[in-house]
Amino acid sequence: MTARFIVTGTDTGIGIGKTVFSAGLAGLLDGFYGKPAQSGLDGETDSEVVARLSGLPSGRVLPEVYRLKTPLSPHRSAEIDGIAIEAAKLSLPELPGPLIIEGAGGLMVPLNRQMKFICIVRDWQLPVILCARTALGTINHTLLSLEALRARSIPLLGIAFIGDEMADTQRTIAEMGRVRVLGRLPRLDPLTPFPKTCERPSTSPTSQRRHSEPLRCLASLYPACHRAGSADDRAHRRRLCRDARRQALPRRDLLLVGHHYGHRHPKIVEAIRHATETVDPVIFAGLSPAGRAVGRSAGRHGAAGARLRLLLRQRLDLGRGRAEDGARLSPQQWLPALAHRRDSAITATPSAR
Ligand SMILES: Nc1ncnc2c1ncn2[C@@H]1O[C@H](COP(=O)(O)OP(=O)(O)OP(=O)(O)O)[C@@H](O)[C@H]1O
Ligand SMILES: C[C@H](N)[C@@H](CCCCCC(=O)O)NC(=O)O
Ligand SMILES: [Mg+2]
């Protein structure tokens, strides 16, 4: 199976540029492009723009599953056309090359009255590239979109900025959003087709200088995209999928060690150790010296260590709010439960659905 990516954005239309970016990326990867639901058929559709700008041979731009006439949110546009958008029809094709899938608008856009685009993205479990403009207002939109992705354990490849350089804005998003920046596509004037890539772009800064400006910006995506298609990342996605399913289970199947179980009293360390051996999954939801002590010692003991490291990795994907929810319980409440009951659970809120 080759790499597949979701290109989404913090918003729609002018100022984001998901379609322009997707054209560059699909061309760069010599891949395929698909827009499952297109709302608005006057003028060029997104697929037609990609066909024009990407330089890809015909046949690499897939037909849209839903072509809706009115340029509105897809759920409304579908209603106007008398069509119901169904999740089952939005399955992903297996193709002989990388596939870029573009969503309509942002993550929370409804596809029908029950289902948002992000629900489909969560089911697909493909790495997301979040396009964010660099102009004023983007910090808020981008951090909110990141929270929504993380709350659902959706794998994120990184952010692609679009627009003129705004150094502090980009840095603030990278730092506060704890997110990898893949690159920045500037405003291209004129907006002409991306240059054809006869060979793969180099990632070395010296060779990159030989690339034209748009290609240079996209070149930084190239290694990240290739890693995302590798076996490692597929295994990571499978784990995320499994963990997301488990988080949705009833409370007693999940232990959440909150960030305030922090002091390293031997009894607390022992209780956490005991719990991690009997309850699976355990999520360390905050910086806990006690949790770290357990993690370190388990790391020296084979299989348990591997499990714990995985769980510690998941900690990074949890939003702060949920860590705090878990931490509302005091050690007095949960220590006795841990000490005496197999499969006891100290609670977390179920993952966002
Ligand atoms: N990098 C860019 N350089 C120049 N113009 C751009 C760039 N990105 C976007 N634009 C302009 O903004 C318009 C909207 O961009 P685009 O269609 O890519 O947005 P979108 O995020 O895909 O919107 P939608 O949610 O409707 O799919 C483009 O038609 C183009 O005129
Ligand atoms: C009409 C737009 N261009 C776009 C749909 C954007 C929906 C935005 C809904 C919203 O957030 O209010 N359609 C599309 O990408 O096919
Ligand atoms: Mg678009």
Side-chain angles (χ1 to χ4, degrees):
M1 189 177 78
T2 54
R4 300 184 290 193
F5 307 96
I6 314 283
V7 171
T8 186
T10 56
D11 203 343
T12 182
I14 306 288
I16 302 293
K18 298 188 300 290
T19 303
V20 173
F21 170 81
S22 299
L25 183 61
L28 175 83
L29 296 175
D30 195 17
F32 292 78
Y33 167 89
K35 170 115 179 173
Q38 167 73 41
S39 62
L41 299 178
D42 283 348
E44 263 184 322
T45 62
D46 285 9
S47 297
E48 286 161 354
V49 171
V50 171
R52 176 169 59 85
L53 293 181
S54 66
L56 288 171
S58 62
R60 297 288 194 86
V61 176
L62 309 178
E64 299 94 342
V65 182
Y66 291 100
R67 287 173 58 84
L68 312 163
K69 287 196 199 76
T70 323
L72 288 175
S73 175
H75 79 285
R76 186 63 199 135
S77 191
E79 284 173 354
I80 293 170
D81 288 355
I83 292 172
I85 297 183
E86 293 168 48
K89 294 217 173 121
L90 299 173
S91 59
L92 292 171
E94 290 287 343
L95 294 162
L99 170 62
I100 310 300
I101 302 149
E102 184 193 337
L107 285 160
M108 293 289 189
V109 163
L111 298 178
N112 58 39
R113 297 267 161 195
Q114 288 76 42
M115 178 178 65
K116 292 171 283 205
F117 178 60
I118 198 165
C119 308
I120 304 281
V121 175
R122 185 194 57 211
D123 292 347
W124 282 339
Q125 283 290 314
L126 296 179
V128 164
I129 299 174
L130 180 65
C131 292
R133 59 201 170 88
T134 52
L136 194 64
T138 190
I139 298 177
N140 175 59
H141 281 119
T142 309
L143 296 183
L144 283 172
S145 299
L146 290 172
E147 275 205 10
L149 290 168
R150 292 199 171 114
R152 293 163 180 80
S153 300
I154 295 171
L156 174 70
L157 194 67
I159 299 257
F161 284 114
I162 297 170
D164 298 335
E165 171 142 35
M166 295 284 283
D168 185 73
T169 298
Q170 293 165 226
R171 182 181 146 204
T172 305
I173 289 173
E175 287 175 3
M176 298 194 77
R178 291 171 289 115
V179 63
R180 170 166 50 165
V181 174
L182 300 167
R184 180 180 61 86
L185 184 64
R187 288 267 135 206
L188 306 171
D189 190 11
L191 181 54
T192 49
F194 285 91
K196 286 214 178 343
T197 47
C198 312
E199 56 188 51
R200 293 287 165 248
S202 167
T203 48
S204 94
T206 326
S207 326
Q208 274 189 21
R209 263 182 238 124
R210 291 201 298 271
H211 297 312
S212 64
E213 192 182 19
L215 187 55
R216 195 161 55 237
C217 295
L218 288 166
S220 60
L221 276 157
Y222 193 72
C225 290
H226 272 261
R227 267 199 307 280
S230 73
D232 267 7
D233 273 79
R234 281 202 296 277
H236 178 55
R237 280 203 301 280
R238 273 198 300 277
R239 280 198 296 273
L240 282 171
C241 235
R242 188 196 63 191
D243 291 342
R245 270 200 307 275
R246 284 180 173 171
Q247 282 181 55
L249 292 176
R251 291 174 160 217
R252 64 193 305 280
D253 296 312
L254 173 69
L255 169 69
L256 185 140
V257 179
H259 63 267
H260 88 178
Y261 313 137
H263 49 100
R264 250 167 78 173
H265 189 283
K267 275 195 179 157
I268 293 187
V269 173
E270 190 43 47
I272 293 175
R273 192 193 317 280
H274 175 73
T276 58
E277 279 159 12
T278 54
V279 181
D280 188 7
V282 179
I283 296 170
F284 286 82
L287 296 174
S288 155
R292 275 204 298 272
V294 177
R296 267 200 302 276
S297 73
R300 287 196 290 273
H301 296 102
R307 189 172 58 126
L308 210 55
R309 274 198 298 280
L310 164 67
L311 298 168
L312 286 167
R313 173 143 67 146
Q314 174 146 0
R315 169 176 65 93
L316 301 172
D317 293 332
L318 281 177
R320 201 160 172 248
R322 280 200 284 150
E324 281 163 1
D325 281 338
R328 276 195 209 123
L329 294 175
S330 70
Q332 285 71 26
Q333 285 171 283
W334 60 265
L335 263 173
L338 289 188
H340 302 299
R341 281 177 49 191
R342 221 181 122 77
D343 294 325
S344 61
I346 304 301
T347 192
T349 44
S351 67
R353 305 278 297 159

